[in-house]
Amino acid sequence: MSDEPSPNGEKGGPNAALVVGIVFSTIVALTVIAYTVTVSAVNLLTVDLLAYPIAGVAPFVVITGAILTIPIMIPTALISMKRLS
């Protein structure tokens, strides 16, 4: 370790890029798991059980993916700032 201050201004503090990268990766992994469970449950209930056509369920999958960007970005910012302070 050098004696130069880290990007967040503290000597020997955590590297901001590393913290954001780890937090982002963890949240994305958890979100992918949640998305997979959601899509599987919707597929089971709507397509298999209720016999809806796949074309009718597809917009739900796309909208769910778009909505899940919110729980990726906001916690990444909040957790990263907390870890860096």
Side-chain angles (χ1 to χ4, degrees):
M1 297 274 285
S2 66
D3 288 335
E4 296 177 20
S6 65
N8 63 356
E10 296 179 14
K11 261 190 172 181
N15 185 345
L18 183 63
V19 169
V20 171
I22 291 171
V23 169
F24 181 77
S25 299
T26 303
I27 292 174
V28 167
L30 293 173
T31 304
V32 166
I33 293 167
Y35 183 72
T36 303
V37 169
T38 302
V39 170
S40 298
V42 168
N43 184 48
L44 175 70
L45 293 174
T46 59
V47 177
D48 295 341
L49 187 63
L50 299 175
Y52 280 105
I54 293 176
V57 178
F60 174 80
V61 175
V62 172
I63 291 168
T64 303
I67 290 171
L68 283 175
T69 59
I70 295 167
I72 291 174
M73 297 305 155
I74 293 173
T76 298
L78 294 175
I79 293 170
S80 297
M81 293 306 296
K82 180 71 175 171
R83 299 282 301 167
L84 292 171
S85 63

